[in-house]
Amino acid sequence: MNKLHYFNPGHETAVLHVSPHYMPPANQQKMRCDLSYLPAWYAGKEDLVWTEDALPKEYVEFLNDHFGNLPQAIFKGNASTYSFPSNKTELDLWGISPQAIHIFKELEKQYGWQLILPIWKDIYFQLNNRHNSKACLEYIQPLLPEMQPDI
Protein backbone atom coordinates (compact mmCIF):
# COMPACT_ATOMS: atom_id res chain seq x y z
CA MET A 1 0.00 0.00 0.00
CA ASN A 2 1.37 3.41 -0.95
CA LYS A 3 1.29 6.34 1.42
CA LEU A 4 0.89 10.07 1.10
CA HIS A 5 3.06 11.65 3.80
CA TYR A 6 2.36 15.02 5.42
CA PHE A 7 4.73 16.86 7.75
CA ASN A 8 2.73 19.01 10.15
CA PRO A 9 4.90 20.31 12.99
CA GLY A 10 2.88 22.07 15.64
CA HIS A 11 0.09 19.53 15.41
CA GLU A 12 0.03 19.52 19.21
CA THR A 13 -1.40 23.04 19.18
CA ALA A 14 -3.98 22.03 16.60
CA VAL A 15 -4.99 19.18 18.92
CA LEU A 16 -5.39 21.63 21.82
CA HIS A 17 -7.83 23.68 19.76
CA VAL A 18 -9.70 20.54 18.56
CA SER A 19 -10.89 22.44 15.52
CA PRO A 20 -10.66 21.35 11.90
CA HIS A 21 -10.34 25.05 11.03
CA TYR A 22 -7.39 25.82 13.31
CA MET A 23 -4.83 28.21 11.77
CA PRO A 24 -1.30 27.76 13.15
CA PRO A 25 0.90 30.78 13.93
CA ALA A 26 3.06 32.15 11.13
CA ASN A 27 6.27 30.55 12.45
CA GLN A 28 4.67 27.09 12.45
CA GLN A 29 3.28 27.64 8.96
CA LYS A 30 6.74 28.64 7.71
CA MET A 31 8.37 25.60 9.32
CA ARG A 32 5.68 23.34 7.82
CA CYS A 33 6.34 24.84 4.40
CA ASP A 34 10.15 24.92 4.62
CA LEU A 35 10.43 21.34 5.92
CA SER A 36 7.46 19.81 4.09
CA TYR A 37 9.64 17.37 2.14
CA LEU A 38 11.21 15.94 5.32
CA PRO A 39 9.14 12.70 5.17
CA ALA A 40 11.04 11.78 1.99
CA TRP A 41 13.83 10.52 4.24
CA TYR A 42 11.65 7.82 5.81
CA ALA A 43 9.00 7.31 3.14
CA GLY A 44 9.12 4.50 0.60
CA LYS A 45 10.33 5.44 -2.87
CA GLU A 46 6.87 4.63 -4.29
CA ASP A 47 5.18 6.93 -1.75
CA LEU A 48 4.30 10.60 -2.22
CA VAL A 49 5.07 13.56 0.02
CA TRP A 50 2.68 16.52 0.27
CA THR A 51 4.61 19.78 0.06
CA GLU A 52 3.19 23.25 0.38
CA ASP A 53 4.80 24.39 -2.88
CA ALA A 54 6.83 22.97 -5.74
CA LEU A 55 10.34 21.96 -4.77
CA PRO A 56 13.05 24.02 -6.47
CA LYS A 57 14.28 22.26 -9.61
CA GLU A 58 17.94 22.52 -8.52
CA TYR A 59 17.10 20.92 -5.17
CA VAL A 60 15.31 17.99 -6.81
CA GLU A 61 18.23 17.49 -9.22
CA PHE A 62 20.72 17.55 -6.33
CA LEU A 63 18.69 15.00 -4.35
CA ASN A 64 18.33 12.70 -7.35
CA ASP A 65 22.05 12.95 -8.17
CA HIS A 66 23.17 12.22 -4.61
CA PHE A 67 20.48 10.02 -3.12
CA GLY A 68 18.75 8.26 -6.00
CA ASN A 69 15.03 7.72 -6.15
CA LEU A 70 13.28 9.62 -3.42
CA PRO A 71 9.50 9.92 -3.20
CA GLN A 72 7.83 12.40 -5.49
CA ALA A 73 6.46 15.65 -4.09
CA ILE A 74 2.82 16.47 -4.65
CA PHE A 75 1.47 19.99 -4.12
CA LYS A 76 -1.47 22.12 -5.20
CA GLY A 77 0.20 22.97 -8.51
CA ASN A 78 0.38 19.33 -9.62
CA ALA A 79 -2.28 17.71 -7.41
CA SER A 80 -4.87 17.54 -10.16
CA THR A 81 -2.65 15.15 -12.10
CA TYR A 82 -2.95 12.46 -9.41
CA SER A 83 -5.75 10.02 -8.84
CA PHE A 84 -5.61 7.66 -5.91
CA PRO A 85 -7.29 4.29 -6.35
CA SER A 86 -9.86 3.52 -3.68
CA ASN A 87 -8.37 2.00 -0.52
CA LYS A 88 -4.86 1.92 -1.96
CA THR A 89 -3.20 5.08 -0.62
CA GLU A 90 -3.04 5.84 3.09
CA LEU A 91 -2.50 9.33 4.49
CA ASP A 92 0.48 9.21 6.87
CA LEU A 93 0.52 12.26 9.15
CA TRP A 94 3.53 13.42 11.16
CA GLY A 95 1.03 14.17 13.91
CA ILE A 96 -2.68 13.45 13.90
CA SER A 97 -5.01 16.38 14.46
CA PRO A 98 -8.55 17.34 13.43
CA GLN A 99 -7.03 20.12 11.33
CA ALA A 100 -4.75 17.80 9.32
CA ILE A 101 -7.56 15.34 8.67
CA HIS A 102 -9.80 18.21 7.54
CA ILE A 103 -7.13 19.52 5.13
CA PHE A 104 -7.03 16.19 3.32
CA LYS A 105 -10.80 15.72 3.36
CA GLU A 106 -11.02 19.03 1.54
CA LEU A 107 -8.28 18.00 -0.92
CA GLU A 108 -10.16 14.75 -1.56
CA LYS A 109 -13.28 16.73 -2.45
CA GLN A 110 -11.36 19.22 -4.58
CA TYR A 111 -9.42 16.64 -6.59
CA GLY A 112 -11.72 13.61 -6.40
CA TRP A 113 -9.12 11.60 -4.51
CA GLN A 114 -9.85 8.46 -2.54
CA LEU A 115 -7.41 8.27 0.37
CA ILE A 116 -7.48 6.18 3.50
CA LEU A 117 -7.74 8.93 6.12
CA PRO A 118 -7.13 8.46 9.82
CA ILE A 119 -10.12 8.89 12.10
CA TRP A 120 -9.87 11.34 14.96
CA LYS A 121 -10.44 9.78 18.37
CA ASP A 122 -10.88 11.70 21.60
CA ILE A 123 -8.09 9.67 23.24
CA TYR A 124 -5.61 11.48 20.95
CA PHE A 125 -6.27 14.66 22.90
CA GLN A 126 -5.06 12.95 26.08
CA LEU A 127 -2.13 11.24 24.36
CA ASN A 128 -0.86 14.61 23.05
CA ASN A 129 -0.98 16.12 26.52
CA ARG A 130 2.35 17.17 28.08
CA HIS A 131 1.41 15.43 31.32
CA ASN A 132 1.15 12.17 29.40
CA SER A 133 4.57 12.78 27.85
CA LYS A 134 6.01 13.41 31.29
CA ALA A 135 4.50 10.17 32.61
CA CYS A 136 5.99 8.23 29.68
CA LEU A 137 9.41 9.76 30.28
CA GLU A 138 9.24 8.95 33.98
CA TYR A 139 8.37 5.37 33.07
CA ILE A 140 11.18 4.83 30.54
CA GLN A 141 13.93 6.74 32.37
CA PRO A 142 14.71 3.87 34.81
CA LEU A 143 14.97 1.57 31.78
CA LEU A 144 17.78 3.75 30.39
CA PRO A 145 20.40 3.95 33.17
CA GLU A 146 22.83 5.88 30.95
CA MET A 147 20.31 8.70 30.72
CA GLN A 148 20.79 11.14 33.58
CA PRO A 149 17.89 13.41 34.45
CA ASP A 150 18.46 17.12 34.73
CA ILE A 151 17.99 18.10 38.35
Side-chain angles (χ1 to χ4, degrees):
M1 178 179 311
N2 291 353
K3 293 184 178 185
L4 173 60
H5 297 269
Y6 179 57
F7 181 65
N8 59 327
H11 73 278
E12 305 89 347
T13 311
V15 168
L16 279 175
H17 288 84
V18 195
S19 169
H21 306 289
Y22 170 73
M23 180 64 71
N27 63 336
Q28 286 181 2
Q29 290 182 46
K30 179 158 178 37
M31 183 168 46
R32 183 177 295 175
C33 183
D34 290 349
L35 299 175
S36 63
Y37 194 60
L38 183 70
W41 299 107
Y42 58 83
K45 65 181 179 180
E46 300 299 321
D47 292 345
L48 297 167
V49 177
W50 180 262
T51 60
E52 299 298 317
D53 296 308
L55 299 174
K57 182 181 176 188
E58 300 81 20
Y59 179 64
V60 173
E61 288 173 357
F62 175 85
L63 291 175
N64 286 333
D65 289 346
H66 291 84
F67 301 103
N69 293 331
L70 290 173
Q72 187 173 357
I74 182 173
F75 58 97
K76 286 188 180 177
N78 70 358
S80 63
T81 64
Y82 289 90
S83 61
F84 296 100
S86 179
N87 296 322
K88 299 279 189 202
T89 305
E90 178 183 359
L91 177 62
D92 187 44
L93 301 170
W94 178 263
I96 191 168
S97 71
Q99 180 226 21
I101 295 168
H102 176 74
I103 288 170
F104 285 91
K105 281 182 180 178
E106 292 300 308
L107 289 170
E108 275 191 316
K109 287 180 198 172
Q110 182 177 355
Y111 297 111
W113 293 346
Q114 294 181 341
L115 298 170
I116 300 169
L117 299 175
I119 297 170
W120 176 257
K121 298 176 184 175
D122 290 336
I123 189 71
Y124 296 151
F125 183 83
Q126 180 183 352
L127 293 173
N128 275 280
N129 187 298
R130 290 181 182 167
H131 296 290
N132 194 50
S133 299
K134 180 181 179 224
C136 289
L137 184 59
E138 289 172 350
Y139 176 79
I140 64 170
Q141 188 206 349
L143 304 173
L144 303 167
E146 65 277 359
M147 186 176 103
Q148 295 297 314
D150 290 334
I151 298 177

